[in-house]
């Protein structure tokens, strides 16, 4: 664990570069969504689009996690066979090694976007927004680690992730309301980190918000079939989902492709 964590502390250039990229990404997205306001339906739709994009951006930014286990599985198998450590300890170490940078970078990114976009001005809403963002990152990384554990190659992980992420996106509620999903697809909402991140952002910003055109944020939530009282459930559920992804990933990592690299 410490050996992996020291990679960042001994490479400040890499750490600084990643944080700078996050900051620049926040400026770019904030510029495109500059001071959305509360004028009319266009402002409401723009807010909804921003929340969806933040969820999608987190997925794109953390896509590199897919390569973690396929790239090292053969070496890990040999070292486990030599009783240097266990699969579970290596899996936990990989979870811990990058966790600070992952969350710090995303917090910087969403903080810049929040104030540039002119979202809900209350500090309570801002801090809740940060909490949602970090719960989302926790879930996304867990999701990527699970797929990484399942895959023997980086290419295979990318193919699996493409199909899995597509399903998560389609059941988010942005394109099709949750009560209008095709028969047999509703179950996917419960395992989609995109769904719970999107709903959490929506409720935090729109609940109680009044628009100049005479409608409220609660009306917008109703249009998207979102319960305005869900926030106390969605954020803990998002964190729990990340824990479930990781637990399942550790089980899979300990059992899948364990002969790779041990061939005579």
């Amino acid at each position: 664990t410490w050996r992996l964590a020291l990679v960042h502390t001994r490479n400040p250039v890499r750490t600084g570069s990643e944080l700078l990229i996050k900051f620049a990404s926040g400026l770019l997205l904030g510029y495109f969504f500059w001071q959305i306001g509360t004028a009319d339906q266009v402002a409401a739709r723009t807010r909804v689009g921003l929340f969806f994009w933040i969820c999608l951006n987190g997925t794109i930014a953390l896509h590199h996690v897919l390569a973690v286990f396929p790239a090292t599985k053969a070496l890990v198998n040999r070292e486990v066979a030599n009783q240097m450590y266990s699969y579970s300890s290596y899996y936990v170490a990989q979870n811990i090694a990058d966790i600070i940078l992952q969350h710090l970078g995303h917090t910087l990114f969403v903080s810049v976007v929040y104030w540039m976009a002119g979202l809900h001005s209350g500090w309570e809403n801002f801090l809740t927004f940060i909490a949602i963002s970090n719960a989302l990152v926790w879930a996304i990384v867990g999701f990527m680690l699970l797929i990484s554990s399942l895959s023997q190659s980086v290419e295979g992980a990318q193919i699996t992730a493409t199909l899995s992420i597509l399903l998560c996106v389609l059941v988010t509620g942005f394109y099709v309301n949750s009560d209008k999903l095709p028969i047999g697809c509703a179950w996917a909402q419960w395992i989609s980190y995109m769904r719970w991140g999107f709903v959490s952002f929506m409720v935090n910003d729109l609940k109680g918000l009044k628009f100049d055109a005479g409608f409220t944020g609660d009306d917008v939530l109703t249009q998207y079939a979102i319960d305005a009282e869900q926030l106390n459930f969605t954020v803990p559920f998002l964190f729990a989902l990340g824990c479930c992804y990781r637990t399942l990933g550790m089980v899979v990592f300990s059992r899948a492709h364990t002969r790779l690299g041990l061939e005579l």
Side-chain angles (χ1 to χ4, degrees), residues 24-97:
S25 299
L27 290 176
L28 181 61
L29 190 61
Y31 175 72
F32 272 88
F33 287 91
W34 175 259
Q35 297 299 308
I36 298 171
T38 56
D40 48 25
Q41 285 284 355
V42 174
R45 287 197 299 271
T46 303
R47 285 172 179 265
V48 174
L50 173 60
F51 301 141
F52 176 78
W53 178 249
I54 290 175
C55 295
L56 192 58
N57 177 268
T59 300
I60 296 170
L62 294 166
H63 202 263
H64 65 277
V65 177
L66 291 171
V68 167
F69 294 129
T72 60
K73 185 67 174 185
L75 175 61
V76 172
N77 284 340
R78 289 193 292 269
E79 293 186 343
V80 169
N82 291 326
Q83 298 183 340
M84 296 177 65
Y85 50 77
S86 64
Y87 286 114
S88 59
S89 62
Y90 181 81
Y91 186 89
V92 171
Q94 284 290 356
N95 272 266
I96 296 174

Side-chain angles (χ1 to χ4, degrees), residues 91 95 138-139 141-142 145 241-251:
Y91 186 89
N95 272 266
W138 172 257
V141 173
L145 287 173
L241 198 58
C243 293
C244 291
Y245 289 148
R246 282 170 168 78
T247 301
L248 183 57
M250 184 166 65
V251 173

Side-chain angles (χ1 to χ4, degrees), residues 10-254:
R10 292 178 178 175
N11 191 352
V13 174
R14 176 190 171 188
T15 301
S17 298
E18 290 187 15
L19 292 177
L20 182 60
I21 290 172
K22 290 293 186 180
F23 181 70
S25 299
L27 290 176
L28 181 61
L29 190 61
Y31 175 72
F32 272 88
F33 287 91
W34 175 259
Q35 297 299 308
I36 298 171
T38 56
D40 48 25
Q41 285 284 355
V42 174
R45 287 197 299 271
T46 303
R47 285 172 179 265
V48 174
L50 173 60
F51 301 141
F52 176 78
W53 178 249
I54 290 175
C55 295
L56 192 58
N57 177 268
T59 300
I60 296 170
L62 294 166
H63 202 263
H64 65 277
V65 177
L66 291 171
V68 167
F69 294 129
T72 60
K73 185 67 174 185
L75 175 61
V76 172
N77 284 340
R78 289 193 292 269
E79 293 186 343
V80 169
N82 291 326
Q83 298 183 340
M84 296 177 65
Y85 50 77
S86 64
Y87 286 114
S88 59
S89 62
Y90 181 81
Y91 186 89
V92 171
Q94 284 290 356
N95 272 266
I96 296 174
D98 290 333
I99 192 169
I100 295 177
L101 186 59
Q102 288 165 350
H103 286 267
L104 180 61
H106 196 72
T107 298
L108 177 62
F109 167 74
V110 296
S111 296
V112 172
V113 172
Y114 190 94
W115 296 113
M116 289 185 69
L119 299 179
H120 208 296
S121 60
W123 275 98
E124 182 179 348
N125 294 86
F126 171 68
L127 294 176
T128 302
F129 186 85
I130 295 300
I132 295 168
S133 300
N134 280 279
L136 179 62
V137 169
W138 172 257
I140 292 173
V141 173
F143 181 81
M144 296 298 181
L145 287 173
L146 171 57
I147 294 178
S148 183
S149 300
L150 285 165
S151 307
Q152 185 170 340
S153 66
V154 176
E155 294 77 11
Q158 291 173 339
I159 293 172
T160 304
T162 298
L163 297 175
S164 302
I165 292 170
L166 177 60
L167 179 62
C168 288
V169 168
L170 291 176
V171 300
T172 296
F174 179 72
Y175 295 109
V176 182
N177 283 6
S178 60
D179 57 350
K180 301 295 183 182
L181 290 172
I183 296 174
C185 293
W187 62 270
Q189 297 176 88
W190 294 99
I191 61 171
S192 170
Y193 62 86
M194 285 280 294
R195 166 67 181 172
W196 300 106
F198 177 71
V199 169
S200 298
F201 285 133
M202 289 277 284
V203 174
N204 180 61
D205 185 72
L206 293 172
K207 181 182 177 181
L209 190 64
K210 295 182 180 179
F211 287 82
D212 301 341
F215 63 94
T216 67
D218 294 82
D219 296 327
V220 178
L221 293 174
T222 300
Q223 291 176 8
Y224 283 87
I226 295 175
D227 182 358
E229 305 301 325
Q230 274 190 299
L231 196 57
N232 290 334
F233 168 76
T234 57
V235 179
F237 185 81
L238 196 56
F239 180 78
L241 198 58
C243 293
C244 291
Y245 289 148
R246 282 170 168 78
T247 301
L248 183 57
M250 184 166 65
V251 173
V252 172
F253 182 69
S254 301

